[in-house]
Amino acid sequence: MNYKMDSTNSSIATEKTAVVIGGSIAGMLAAQVLTKHFDRVIILERDLLKTIEQAEQRPGVPQSLHVHGLLMRGQQILEQLFPGIVAELADSGAPLINWTADCPWLGFGGWSPRFRSHLTTPTFSRNLLELTIRKHLAANDRVEFRSATQVTSLLSNVNKTAVTGVQIRTGNEPETEIFADLVVDATGRNSRTPHWLQGMGYEPPQETIVNSFLGYASRWYQLPADLQIDWHSVFITAQPPGTRGGVLYQIEGKRWILTMVGIGRDYPPTDEAGFLEFARSLRSPMIYEAIKNAEPISPIYAYKRTENSLRHYEKLSRFPENLVVLGDAVCSFNPVYGQGMTTAALGAVTLDECLSQQGNLIGLSRRFQKQLNQVISVPWMMATGEDFRWSTTEGGQPSFINKMMQRYLEQVLVLQSKSAEVHQLFLEVVNMIKPPSAFFHPRILIQVLRQVFAFQIQGENLNQGESLPKSLPAVVK
């Protein structure tokens, strides 16, 4: 145990304490894990949280009013950390959606087959999920949640080899200190840790940014009472060189969120007429037909900070003890791929594993950052690989291997519209319950090779005066 003066209560603390900076999804999941290893976990959230009885919009999460998806792997982790939470979301009105049966998907080669599978998750607003997790933490007597509290700096020992706590400001009160055995930065894209490290004499991490200049605009609708449809959500993907896509997503309260995306600065408009016209311009009129007469219940929200950003903490030769960084503070993805919350959950699991594998905190910080980087590598490859399909993307170029992978996956995506097996496998990989290497299973590889051979034959026929079927995507012509 550590015996330290905590100036927030002027008493001797005899408990092992962890501080989590940031009370969003990543921070709350990390806090739940930390309760297994620490006597006291303090979550410090900059936003003022008024209640735990009603979902609310926070200034610190401007993207929360857009579509958010919890992938199936994330759902599994959430249920492990908070048993019963999936049922609670359903009780709050979140519909359960079977992604192969209830969600028409327009991909590279056309509409994918629809059939029932094990791929079922609830769909909900980001605010409802945060509220539900926060209620669980409020019931945990090891967790203390302090809102309207900003961390102004890190505390360290005399030689600055270890972090010993944080300096905070709550409202208009004087700055105070909280001493802790471990500090976790879960503050997202605007993390101050690189700045704080420089102040302690450390090098800040290098950062890799891949930006497809994607922007999106969203609006909420009330489901029409007389609606006659056989689906819950719709995905219309952008097909290069095209730049527009959209998702209509059913959530609690019998509402829809429509989020439309434009790539390469082809940003969706936020005026009424322009927004509807953008919906009409998608590859299919399905979303437009669904919402053109639906009742809007919100303004049109826009968001453009969508670049993929990776801070390479794992490469630092020096890093202070008793500090870890996770969630978007390390790696933030283009949100259109829906990986953020699930990757945050994987980060919490990784932290739990690292703490369980060693009896003390010595060496934990660097070990965790290296293991987290391994966890991040697959979703990073998937997100940036997709963004590199557009010539307007900036931030480096895909390697030769990545280009070959991209060409192969293009064929897989075309097969997705023809094969129920491939469509299910694609969604299993997207949901992080199977690795991308599953696309190279011999059964899938044979189908890809047959398709490539068929396209070559069609190309020869085309040279002889025949035309390719119009349903084939441009990428394979």
Side-chain angles (χ1 to χ4, degrees):
M1 294 292 181
N2 288 338
Y3 297 85
K4 298 176 179 176
M5 179 70 71
D6 183 344
S7 61
T8 61
N9 56 22
S10 298
S11 63
I12 299 296
T14 61
E15 57 219 345
K16 199 173 181 183
T17 300
V19 164
V20 178
I21 314 172
S24 192
I25 301 290
M28 290 192 293
L29 299 187
Q32 177 68 6
V33 161
L34 291 170
T35 60
K36 296 170 56 177
H37 306 278
F38 294 83
D39 303 292
R40 183 186 184 202
V41 179
I42 305 172
I43 304 174
L44 304 174
E45 169 53 46
R46 184 180 60 182
D47 289 337
L48 174 64
L49 302 175
K50 301 175 184 177
T51 176
I52 61 167
E53 301 303 322
Q54 184 176 354
E56 58 181 319
Q57 168 64 18
R58 298 193 294 110
V61 193
Q63 73 275 26
S64 67
L65 295 170
H66 305 272
V67 165
H68 276 71
L70 182 67
L71 304 181
M72 198 164 182
R73 180 65 181 123
Q75 173 184 287
Q76 293 169 349
I77 295 172
L78 206 66
E79 187 68 23
Q80 292 170 7
L81 295 179
F82 306 103
I85 194 170
V86 174
E88 292 171 28
L89 289 165
D91 290 342
S92 298
L96 289 174
I97 291 184
N98 186 293
W99 287 103
T100 53
D102 302 330
C103 179
W105 189 291
L106 182 57
F108 265 41
W111 292 103
S112 297
R114 292 175 64 186
F115 55 94
R116 301 208 70 79
S117 70
H118 66 103
L119 295 167
T120 300
T121 66
T123 55
F124 39 75
S125 65
R126 164 70 177 258
N127 292 341
L128 176 63
L129 179 61
E130 282 201 12
L131 174 68
T132 308
I133 296 173
R134 200 176 301 131
K135 284 182 177 180
H136 274 265
L137 290 174
N140 190 327
D141 58 10
R142 292 195 175 196
V143 176
E144 179 183 350
F145 212 119
R146 301 188 192 182
S147 71
T149 300
Q150 184 168 355
V151 174
T152 57
S153 64
L154 299 176
L155 305 177
S156 63
N157 58 3
V158 175
N159 56 12
K160 301 189 184 301
T161 58
V163 170
T164 58
V166 293
Q167 183 121 350
I168 65 168
R169 180 187 298 114
T170 302
N172 295 322
E173 298 176 6
E175 289 193 356
T176 55
E177 297 175 338
I178 300 178
F179 291 98
D181 300 271
L182 181 68
V183 173
V184 177
D185 178 4
T187 54
R189 289 176 179 259
N190 296 319
S191 167
R192 297 276 292 162
T193 291
H195 171 77
W196 291 333
L197 288 177
Q198 283 186 295
M200 294 171 61
Y202 290 83
E203 289 290 327
Q206 296 177 347
E207 186 173 9
T208 300
I209 296 176
V210 177
N211 194 350
S212 65
F213 298 98
L214 179 147
Y216 49 96
S218 300
R219 195 171 206 182
W220 295 40
Y221 295 86
Q222 196 68 49
L223 266 68
D226 58 349
L227 188 65
Q228 298 292 324
I229 56 174
D230 65 347
W231 48 267
H232 290 287
S233 296
V234 181
F235 273 79
I236 298 176
T237 64
Q239 180 183 350
T243 57
R244 297 183 176 187
V247 53
L248 190 59
Y249 199 70
Q250 187 175 337
I251 61 166
E252 72 277 1
K254 296 183 177 180
R255 295 172 294 177
W256 274 328
I257 304 178
L258 168 58
T259 292
M260 295 188 295
V261 305
I263 303 166
R265 298 186 177 90
D266 181 21
Y267 301 130
T270 55
D271 63 284
E272 186 86 26
F275 188 77
L276 285 173
E277 183 55 36
F278 195 97
R280 192 202 297 266
S281 74
L282 299 181
R283 293 170 57 203
S284 165
M286 192 171 186
I287 287 178
Y288 172 76
E289 293 295 331
I291 58 95
K292 66 179 182 180
N293 295 319
E295 177 190 358
I297 54 175
S298 80
I300 299 169
Y301 308 106
Y303 189 74
K304 297 179 182 177
R305 193 176 178 188
T306 61
E307 69 276 7
N308 302 280
S309 172
L310 175 58
R311 295 184 174 112
H312 295 279
Y313 285 101
E314 83 285 356
K315 293 183 178 180
L316 292 177
S317 59
R318 295 176 60 245
F319 194 73
E321 298 282 0
N322 306 336
L323 172 68
V324 299
V325 190
L326 48 67
D328 281 7
V330 173
C331 184
S332 53
F333 302 95
N334 184 336
V336 75
Y337 304 120
Q339 299 171 309
M341 294 192 298
T342 297
T343 305
L346 289 167
V349 169
T350 303
L351 180 59
D352 185 22
E353 291 172 349
C354 287
L355 286 166
S356 299
Q357 290 166 359
Q358 59 187 76
N360 55 56
L361 297 177
I362 298 174
L364 171 76
S365 298
R366 294 189 64 189
R367 182 182 182 192
F368 169 76
Q369 300 303 156
K370 290 181 181 296
Q371 291 197 19
L372 180 64
N373 182 257
Q374 295 177 8
V375 170
I376 288 169
S377 62
V378 171
W380 175 263
M381 178 193 68
M382 293 172 65
T384 56
E386 284 301 305
D387 279 356
F388 278 131
R389 294 187 188 278
W390 283 269
S391 61
T392 53
T393 297
E394 295 181 1
Q397 296 294 327
S399 66
F400 174 77
I401 293 177
N402 286 339
K403 287 181 179 179
M404 296 303 294
M405 279 278 294
Q406 192 179 81
R407 293 284 296 275
Y408 179 84
L409 291 178
E410 284 173 359
Q411 299 297 328
V412 173
L413 293 174
V414 174
L415 279 174
Q416 182 190 0
S417 65
K418 305 173 183 178
S419 166
E421 177 188 20
V422 175
H423 181 48
Q424 178 168 320
L425 176 60
F426 168 78
L427 292 178
E428 287 171 338
V429 173
V430 166
N431 277 273
M432 298 188 189
I433 56 177
K434 286 188 178 179
S437 59
F439 288 135
F440 294 91
H441 187 281
R443 192 166 58 248
I444 306 301
L445 180 60
I446 289 172
Q447 293 182 59
V448 168
L449 294 175
R450 285 174 178 169
Q451 178 171 263
V452 171
F453 180 73
F455 288 159
Q456 288 176 342
I457 296 298
Q458 288 174 317
E460 291 174 3
N461 291 337
L462 181 64
N463 290 334
Q464 297 171 9
E466 297 182 16
S467 61
L468 285 172
K470 293 182 180 179
S471 62
L472 285 175
V475 72
V476 298
K477 289 184 180 177

